[in-house]
Amino acid sequence: MDKTQEILLIKYGEIALRGGNRRIYENMLMDAIRKNLANAGFAGLSVYKEQGRFVVVGDGLAGAIPHIACVFGITSICRGVRTSQRTLEGLYDAALEYTKENLGHCATFKVATKRADKNFPGRSDQMSAELGGHLLAHFPHLKVKLEKPDFNLVVEIRNSIYIYSQSTEVAGPGGLPSGSAGKGVLLLSGGIDSPVAGYLAAKRGISLTAVYFHSPPYTSERAKEKVVDIAKQLAFYAGGVKLIVVNFTEIQLFLTDKTPAAKITLLLKRAMLKMADKTAKKEGALALVTGDAVGQVASQTLHSLHAMTGAADLPILRPLVCYDKKDIVSLAQKIGTFDISVRPFDDCCTLFLPKNPETKPKLSIIQNIERRMDELDEMMEKALDGAEVFEF
Ligand code: ATP
Ligand code: MG
């Protein structure tokens, strides 16, 4: 059997801080990694838990990195070797072999040792110095450089010993493992903002059920396809997404008929929040998530956001609330939803936009209008019962 084997060493961040729940979070993270690898066809790889790390072994390691680097909770991935030897001598041999293969034209170097297994004899700084001397004896042209060396060799002593060059490190997204924070209902339109809001919520460990309010024939099948494609893209990061497409036409026409034009956008948004709230209760979700950002459009002034009060019982999370549009756009580009969002098909609110929407609506007036609409609740239940459901 080979003494050394190629590996990926996966580092994770915040979950290490979470005391008693740590094991549960670690298992969720490992499941998410395994799921992504299986979906991407890496059947020949296996993932196991180390002290404070995950390790991937098997065929196709390099190709697997992008499929791991997108998993929330991971801070970075390094590529290196594992040695089955647990003596200083074995460690030196493996480090020498790894250095021979990976040193290339490097002129300066440094060794850093992390002795996570405190039963392993010796002190980390002493071992780094001794291993450095051992390598110098074999590569006399090398010079030690502690700041920004060309070759930064890391040795981690855990249940096994891992050796890698720091330059192999690929950053992960950070955040928390999918589902570790519970479930949220995302109000997902075909626009630029709500997919980014969903991404940020998922990054904090919130698993997503997305709801899209569709108004055929005023919004086209292509607008719905856009939302379906966005949900698929979000699923890539969020460890799966359930998408519920609700037919909103009847409610939209009813509200448009019964409401002064300047207030219609608010009434429509309150109706969406109410229906999302009902959905959340059925789905066991604890919060709603929207793409609102203060001041972006008339329906998102602070007055308008205040006028949403009471539409939902559950807390409304607005991850983008203080973001500038340009920052939202660059995040949308980074996560691959922007190109889908800018396909030219209207989502439901834009078609019914009044010429002069109110920017300082009063909550009490909005509530008075709603009080006169007894039929609304039944219409909402009916629309939700007939919703179309997708799982990605
Ligand atoms: P987005 O870019 O996300 O569409 P927007 O800038 O167009 O947002 P609004 O139309 O005011 O702004 O929508 C604000 C939020 O309301 C959206 O981010 C989304 O969470 C929700 N929303 C709007 N329209 C819909 C819809 N048809 N289905 C589901 N949610 C919606
Ligand atoms: Mg929109």
Side-chain angles (χ1 to χ4, degrees):
M1 199 183 101
D2 273 353
K3 286 186 205 143
T4 63
Q5 196 173 16
E6 287 198 28
I7 50 99
L8 300 179
L9 196 64
I10 301 174
K11 304 179 187 180
Y12 47 90
E14 286 181 68
I15 61 171
L17 305 173
R18 301 194 162 221
N21 285 332
R22 179 177 166 151
R23 186 162 303 190
I24 298 168
Y25 285 103
E26 283 174 337
N27 288 340
M28 282 179 162
L29 186 51
M30 194 154 66
D31 284 348
I33 296 167
R34 285 183 175 143
K35 191 171 164 190
N36 265 24
L37 289 177
N39 287 345
F42 287 93
L45 291 179
S46 57
V47 185
Y48 68 88
K49 208 167 10 169
E50 246 291 1
Q51 302 167 345
R53 301 275 188 260
F54 296 113
V55 181
V56 188
V57 284
D59 296 329
L61 290 175
I65 292 173
H67 299 278
I68 301 170
C70 60
V71 174
F72 292 136
I74 290 174
T75 51
S76 73
I77 304 162
C78 294
R79 194 172 169 199
V81 294
R82 175 183 73 183
T83 172
S84 55
Q85 310 234 42
R86 279 191 63 86
T87 59
L88 262 186
E89 209 174 44
L91 160 59
Y92 286 5
D93 284 351
L96 183 61
E97 192 185 331
Y98 179 82
T99 304
K100 265 185 202 158
E101 279 169 24
N102 294 279
L103 187 61
H105 296 294
C106 295
T108 58
F109 86 116
K110 168 189 163 182
V111 177
T113 308
K114 290 183 186 143
R115 201 170 51 92
D117 177 2
K118 300 297 179 202
N119 294 322
F120 196 87
R123 268 180 33 209
S124 300
D125 51 353
Q126 218 169 31
M127 282 167 62
S128 297
E130 279 174 24
L131 177 55
H134 183 66
L135 294 179
L136 272 178
H138 285 82
F139 305 98
H141 73 283
L142 277 181
K143 294 232 165 351
V144 176
K145 189 170 174 239
L146 298 181
E147 289 287 316
K148 297 192 182 159
D150 299 336
F151 187 67
N152 193 341
L153 189 75
V154 184
V155 176
E156 295 196 9
I157 301 171
R158 299 179 184 275
N159 290 321
S160 292
I161 296 176
Y162 302 90
I163 300 167
Y164 58 90
S165 155
Q166 191 62 44
S167 64
T168 63
E169 187 162 64
V170 172
L176 295 170
S178 172
S180 60
K183 195 187 280 184
V185 165
L186 170 67
L187 285 89
L188 182 64
S189 74
I192 295 168
D193 305 324
S194 45
V196 178
Y199 172 88
L200 290 176
K203 189 172 169 185
R204 296 309 300 166
I206 298 175
S207 67
L208 298 176
T209 292
V211 189
Y212 169 57
F213 299 98
H214 183 42
S215 301
Y218 306 102
T219 52
S220 64
E221 266 308 289
R222 309 282 292 274
K224 181 173 122 188
E225 275 167 30
K226 202 164 109 168
V227 177
V228 166
D229 288 348
I230 288 171
K232 281 184 191 160
Q233 183 64 15
L234 278 181
F236 178 70
Y237 299 101
V241 166
K242 178 173 180 179
L243 171 66
I244 302 179
V245 177
V246 181
N247 189 320
F248 197 56
T249 313
E250 196 190 2
I251 293 167
Q252 185 148 1
L253 292 173
F254 173 81
L255 286 172
T256 309
D257 185 44
K258 295 266 193 276
T259 311
K263 299 189 198 304
I264 181 63
T265 318
L266 284 177
L267 269 287
L268 290 173
K269 284 191 70 178
R270 283 181 65 94
M272 288 185 199
L273 286 170
K274 277 196 187 124
M275 293 169 86
D277 196 70
K278 286 175 187 287
T279 307
K281 285 168 188 156
K282 284 181 203 153
E283 295 280 312
L286 297 175
L288 307 183
V289 182
T290 76
D292 294 309
V294 170
Q296 208 188 77
V297 289
S299 60
Q300 295 173 27
T301 63
L302 207 49
H303 287 84
S304 300
L305 294 179
H306 176 254
M308 300 297 150
T309 307
D313 296 334
L314 293 179
I316 302 173
L317 308 184
R318 297 179 167 102
L320 304 176
V321 75
C322 293
Y323 274 50
D324 287 353
K325 189 74 184 188
K326 76 169 176 30
D327 297 329
I328 300 173
V329 165
S330 57
L331 244 178
Q333 284 165 333
K334 194 180 117 188
I335 64 171
T337 56
F338 183 79
D339 288 345
I340 312 172
S341 292
V342 295
R343 287 183 207 158
F345 308 110
D346 282 329
D347 63 26
C348 78
C349 278
T350 56
L351 282 181
F352 288 76
L353 270 185
K355 284 205 185 67
N356 296 306
E358 216 171 10
T359 54
K360 291 188 175 176
K362 266 200 129 150
L363 177 61
S364 55
I365 297 178
I366 303 282
Q367 284 168 329
N368 273 338
I369 299 173
E370 278 178 353
R371 254 179 234 123
R372 295 198 293 268
M373 297 176 176
D374 292 339
E375 316 86 319
L376 200 53
D377 199 64
E378 205 177 309
M379 288 164 88
M380 288 180 177
E381 295 292 350
K382 193 178 117 199
L384 289 172
D385 284 346
E388 197 180 353
V389 180
F390 301 83
E391 293 274 359
F392 302 116

